Amino acid sequence: QIDSYRRIRNTLRFLIGNLKGFEDKEETDYKNLPDLEKYILFRVWEIDKIIESSIKENNYHKLYKELLIFCSNDLSSFYFDIRKDCLYCDDKTSQKRKSCRSTLKIIFDFLTAWLAPILCFTVEEAWLSNNFNHKESIHLRTFPKTDKKWSDKNLGAKWKEIINIRKVVTSAIEIEREKKIIGSSLEASTELTVSKKIKNYLNDINLNDLFIVSSAKIVDKLSGDTFSLDGINDTEVKIKKSDGSKCERCWIISKEVNNNQNLCNRCQGVIRNE
């Protein structure tokens, strides 16, 4: 129980911290959001339906369990983990960062509404925190409504397959970490083979972000020792230590980090613009 509460509280803390200074002008239209953000909004839509049916059935255990899974699996160990780099290191004016913060605001609005009847005081404290201009109690709110655009089931199915591919890569990285070949996942460079269908899915997705590595690419064939997981077909992964130097700001390892400041090109640009 204590661990479950801590997970939910940490999720709210992450949202509050990363929404500091959020302005309405940062809000991004659904059509302009990256694929990952669209998938997270699909999950919000999906969970909202489960919450609605759970309340009608008076099944509050199911409601609480779904919210805990959402906070732990969908947010903390997936979406937040992937987007930390963008939130902490991208330029404040970058569209990717605005899209992420716009999505975080939606998540915060829904999550606080869903949790308000269960964690009354914690959610009230989060809702009235200094980062927002809320004057009234959260318990005087009506539940926010999902947008029909978020209900893209094909997108949901596509991302479930992408998440399976990510699972293969992260499992392979964990083995290399246990062997002390690499430390953090950002020290890893990964090559993978996937089916033609998955390759099409991954075409427009930044693989470095998805796998939280310094370098990732899809190849036609791998040689030597490869890693795969039972039940996830046509996917093999090879992990090696990244070539290059470590950026002092974002910790990505790249050959472009060879300047006096020990910064990658992105971080140099961000610092110049500050």
Side-chain angles (χ1 to χ4, degrees), residues 125-140:
E125 188 182 7
W127 182 251
L128 296 175
S129 67
N130 292 335
N131 282 8
F132 308 102
N133 206 21
H134 302 142
K135 305 296 182 199
E136 283 193 327
S137 166
I138 192 166
H139 304 294
L140 299 174

Side-chain angles (χ1 to χ4, degrees), residues 117-153:
I118 305 166
L119 299 172
C120 310
F121 297 110
T122 300
V123 179
E124 177 82 325
E125 188 182 7
W127 182 251
L128 296 175
S129 67
N130 292 335
N131 282 8
F132 308 102
N133 206 21
H134 302 142
K135 305 296 182 199
E136 283 193 327
S137 166
I138 192 166
H139 304 294
L140 299 174
R141 279 175 78 199
T142 53
F143 271 52
K145 287 185 166 47
T146 56
D147 191 318
K148 282 182 183 176
K149 291 175 194 164
W150 304 352
S151 63
D152 188 341
K153 290 184 179 177

Side-chain angles (χ1 to χ4, degrees), residues 129-269:
S129 67
N130 292 335
N131 282 8
F132 308 102
N133 206 21
H134 302 142
K135 305 296 182 199
E136 283 193 327
S137 166
I138 192 166
H139 304 294
L140 299 174
R141 279 175 78 199
T142 53
F143 271 52
K145 287 185 166 47
T146 56
D147 191 318
K148 282 182 183 176
K149 291 175 194 164
W150 304 352
S151 63
D152 188 341
K153 290 184 179 177
N154 291 331
L155 182 84
K158 167 185 159 179
W159 269 90
K160 281 178 174 58
E161 293 200 55
I162 291 171
I163 288 165
N164 278 338
I165 303 303
R166 186 176 186 265
K167 199 182 294 179
V168 182
V169 175
T170 52
S171 299
I173 289 169
E174 201 51 45
I175 289 168
E176 298 306 298
R177 289 182 69 183
E178 284 171 9
K179 291 179 186 172
K180 311 288 185 192
I181 291 167
I182 58 169
S184 82
S185 66
L186 284 173
E187 289 181 22
S189 172
T190 180
E191 291 182 342
L192 63 155
T193 58
V194 293
S195 67
K196 192 175 178 182
K197 177 185 171 187
I198 297 294
K199 193 174 182 178
N200 289 334
Y201 284 172
L202 296 174
N203 268 343
D204 300 324
I205 293 169
N206 185 318
L207 298 181
N208 294 7
D209 285 353
L210 181 65
F211 303 137
I212 317 176
V213 294
S214 287
S215 169
K217 65 178 176 179
I218 295 168
V219 296
D220 294 327
K221 197 173 181 182
L222 288 171
S223 59
D225 291 336
T226 61
F227 178 86
S228 59
L229 280 179
D230 290 341
I232 302 174
N233 300 327
D234 304 319
T235 303
E236 290 189 340
V237 177
K238 192 168 187 175
I239 305 292
K240 62 179 183 178
K241 200 173 173 78
S242 282
D243 293 330
S245 304
K246 182 178 176 180
C247 174
E248 297 286 340
R249 186 171 176 272
C250 70
W251 295 11
I252 282 171
I253 294 171
S254 169
K255 288 180 180 175
E256 69 185 33
V257 182
N258 55 10
N259 50 69
N260 294 331
Q261 294 173 293
N262 289 328
L263 297 174
C264 66
N265 292 344
R266 172 188 60 164
C267 289
Q268 280 191 83

Side-chain angles (χ1 to χ4, degrees), residues 32-70:
N32 296 325
L33 290 175
D35 228 39
L36 175 58
E37 274 64 29
K38 286 180 179 177
Y39 168 67
I40 290 298
L41 291 182
F42 167 75
R43 287 291 293 137
V44 170
W45 174 84
E46 214 172 28
I47 288 161
D48 193 60
K49 296 294 169 214
I50 295 167
I51 301 289
E52 201 176 316
S53 65
S54 298
I55 290 170
K56 283 176 183 172
E57 295 161 9
N58 289 324
N59 189 346
Y60 296 102
H61 175 72
K62 184 183 177 184
L63 183 154
Y64 172 73
K65 188 178 165 189
E66 283 296 329
L67 289 176
L68 185 58
I69 290 168
F70 181 60

